[in-house]
Amino acid sequence: MRVLIVNTSERTGGAAVAASRLMEALNNNGVKVKMLVRDKETDHLTVAALPDQKSMQLRFLWERMVIWLRQRLSRKHLFEVDLANCGADITQLREFQEADVIHLHWINQGMLSLKGIRKILDTGKPVVWTMHDIWPATAICHLTLDCRRFETQCNHCRLLPGGGSDNDLAAKVWRRKQKMLADRHITYVACSQWLAGEAQKSALLQGQRVVSIPNPIDTHVYAPQDQQQARQRAGLPAEGRIILFASQRVTNLNKGMNYLVEACQLLAEQHPEQKEQITVAILGGHAEELEGQLPFRTCPLGYVNDEHRIVDVYNAADVFVLPSLSENLPNTIMEAMACGVPSVGFRVGGIPEEIDHQRNGYVADYRSSEDLARGIWWTLFEADHEAVRHACLQKVAHNYSQQSVANHYLEVYESLRHHNYL
């Protein structure tokens, strides 16, 4: 069986990381997998780039221009919206023609258009689409937050000027997506049970198959190490407790850094005796902008793409905190747990599926800095560290290992074979 994974980027972003890990997991389990990307970042032979880089840039710019004009020249929601109004035709590429299954992942920002996806469906090849966010089940947004219009029909979009209208840009893209799917079938794979439940409520996906399979992780790479040695390699303090926060861009409001700041201020007020014993390590772009906002010693590590250094940072930490306001199934929590480090996060999205409350971490009440502080304190000073560490490793081995996830996807591919799609 030959599978072609299609994703905008090879390595940048959570979807790219997950897609690359899935390719490795499937190849390790006897499936011949290649990856097709817009942005190729390595010399891996199993990864192919779209031809004609100039056209790709123009497609990206044209889509942003259309959004910018519809936003009345405002940049406020410029990258919260995707239209898929332009993209590459991949059906003529050798990688596509050789594949038995086309496996879409995150295909926005000029990678594929809705017409291009329809053309893929019209070839008769079975299509699996792994959802890394809600966009495939809505019109234009990647985060629905409190909006439920996708359950009936997207319009009056909160991301458009004045809250949109009956026939706004969201309504038009919704109709284009309906046309794309008319009389065709896609197997949608949500990375969390929460996202699968949301997708099944979408009026757009009625009649489509939706299943839930988590992202995989390489437990040979993300694994426990000696904490003191990891701290030395990462350049972090040898003494005291370390709280870790990580995000591709740490100033992204959706990642909830302001709640971590408030939680740390509460901890400093409630436990002043520990103020000199706690360090907050911040991994991600713009980390230096947060210096001075926290009451504890702060170590901004910046954006890091060296996987071995990232593993060192996880192993150096005592707790990983991700107070996101919306999440699917964060790779970062999975990575921390694979290193034996407990996590604290809000009860939102797929986070409660990863964190078993007060077993391998702490699930805090949504948007509650007070409960976030309680969770951090419990993890650092009250929990049985060895028991929590063991629970983290056990959860990852059972649910997120390459073998476990590859087996689930093989079942999906075999079901397509059973239905004579292959």
Side-chain angles (χ1 to χ4, degrees):
M1 185 188 304
R2 296 175 182 270
V3 176
L4 179 64
I5 287 177
V6 184
N7 196 73
T8 299
S9 174
E10 180 184 359
R11 296 186 65 183
T12 301
V17 170
S20 295
R21 288 175 179 171
L22 178 59
M23 177 175 66
E24 182 180 359
L26 290 169
N27 278 325
N28 289 340
N29 282 271
V31 182
K32 295 180 179 179
V33 185
K34 287 188 176 181
M35 191 170 175
L36 178 66
V37 299
R38 185 194 69 184
D39 304 328
K40 182 173 167 63
E41 300 166 71
T42 71
D43 57 1
H44 292 166
L45 297 177
T46 53
V47 180
L50 287 176
D52 195 352
Q53 293 287 319
K54 188 174 182 180
S55 292
M56 288 188 290
Q57 292 174 354
L58 290 173
R59 287 195 296 267
F60 169 75
L61 291 172
W62 173 247
E63 184 182 32
R64 292 310 110 185
M65 178 66 74
V66 172
I67 296 169
W68 183 60
L69 291 172
R70 291 301 187 104
Q71 295 282 8
R72 297 176 188 168
L73 311 188
S74 170
R75 293 175 53 89
K76 184 177 180 182
H77 300 301
L78 185 58
F79 288 95
E80 296 177 53
V81 169
D82 274 297
L83 312 180
N85 59 336
C86 52
D89 176 6
I90 67 171
T91 60
Q92 301 306 309
L93 299 179
R94 178 173 55 84
E95 291 82 6
F96 180 92
Q97 294 176 352
E98 290 177 350
D100 299 308
V101 177
I102 307 303
H103 194 152
L104 308 181
H105 283 254
W106 202 88
I107 48 76
N108 299 112
Q109 297 189 0
M111 179 69 190
L112 294 181
S113 67
L114 300 180
K115 287 184 179 178
I117 296 172
R118 176 67 186 201
K119 194 167 184 179
I120 291 170
L121 294 170
D122 286 344
T123 66
K125 289 180 183 281
V127 176
V128 177
W129 194 342
T130 293
M131 299 175 61
H132 296 279
D133 55 42
I134 196 69
W135 185 85
T138 68
I140 62 176
C141 72
H142 295 272
L143 297 175
T144 55
L145 298 179
D146 297 327
C147 177
R148 309 303 302 175
R149 291 187 178 275
F150 70 96
E151 295 182 7
T152 51
Q153 177 183 335
C154 286
N155 55 23
H156 290 276
C157 183
R158 63 182 176 84
L159 298 175
L160 297 174
S165 64
D166 285 340
N167 193 34
D168 60 12
L169 183 61
K172 292 175 181 175
V173 175
W174 178 273
R175 290 194 292 271
R176 291 172 196 158
K177 285 189 173 182
Q178 285 181 316
K179 184 177 180 180
M180 175 191 79
L181 290 171
D183 302 317
R184 295 291 182 268
H185 293 282
I186 294 176
T187 297
Y188 291 88
V189 178
C191 298
S192 67
Q193 295 171 20
W194 165 80
L195 185 58
E198 292 291 276
Q200 287 165 348
K201 295 172 187 173
S202 169
L204 189 65
L205 302 193
Q206 293 306 302
Q208 304 292 334
R209 181 186 179 197
V210 180
V211 298
S212 174
I213 303 176
N215 294 325
I217 189 168
D218 188 343
T219 50
H220 295 100
V221 175
Y222 289 87
Q225 298 175 357
D226 179 88
Q227 188 182 66
Q228 285 302 310
Q229 292 179 12
R231 288 186 176 190
Q232 186 175 14
R233 289 192 297 269
L236 291 168
E239 303 299 324
R241 308 294 171 92
I242 294 180
I243 299 168
L244 174 63
F245 174 88
S247 175
Q248 186 175 351
R249 180 170 58 87
V250 301
T251 52
N252 181 347
L253 293 177
N254 185 60
K255 296 300 178 181
M257 171 52 82
N258 56 321
Y259 288 94
L260 178 57
V261 171
E262 291 176 7
C264 287
Q265 290 170 344
L266 287 169
L267 287 173
E269 293 169 6
Q270 295 164 1
H271 306 281
E273 73 283 359
Q274 293 291 344
K275 191 171 181 180
E276 301 303 318
Q277 302 302 314
I278 295 176
T279 298
V280 179
I282 305 171
L283 185 64
H286 303 275
E288 69 284 350
E289 296 179 23
L290 298 170
E291 282 194 277
Q293 295 187 30
L294 291 147
F296 305 127
R297 176 169 45 186
T298 306
C299 293
L301 302 173
Y303 180 77
V304 177
N305 58 13
D306 181 331
E307 200 164 40
H308 296 290
R309 178 163 168 76
I310 292 171
V311 171
D312 282 337
V313 173
Y314 280 124
N315 275 281
D318 295 288
V319 62
F320 175 68
V321 183
L322 187 66
S324 291
L325 304 184
S326 178
E327 281 288 356
N328 183 8
L329 198 76
N331 289 328
T332 48
I333 289 179
M334 194 184 302
E335 291 163 357
M337 290 172 60
C339 296
V341 177
S343 297
V344 178
F346 286 141
R347 186 175 288 103
V348 66
I351 288 177
E353 297 172 35
E354 291 180 291
I355 303 175
D356 300 315
H357 186 56
Q358 293 191 318
R359 288 191 60 207
N360 57 29
Y362 190 100
V363 182
D365 294 337
Y366 188 53
R367 292 180 181 261
S368 171
S369 301
E370 293 80 5
D371 202 27
L372 193 69
R374 279 192 290 271
I376 296 169
W377 181 261
W378 177 85
T379 308
L380 290 179
F381 298 104
E382 295 177 354
D384 181 330
H385 296 291
E386 193 56 39
V388 169
R389 178 177 178 275
H390 177 72
C392 285
L393 299 176
Q394 192 175 44
K395 179 69 176 276
V396 169
H398 187 264
N399 292 277
Y400 310 130
S401 68
Q402 285 191 342
Q403 184 68 54
S404 173
V405 174
N407 286 340
H408 286 305
Y409 271 106
L410 285 170
E411 290 175 7
V412 170
Y413 298 152
E414 287 300 325
S415 71
L416 297 176
R417 185 195 299 274
H418 178 71
H419 285 88
N420 296 320
Y421 290 131
L422 294 181

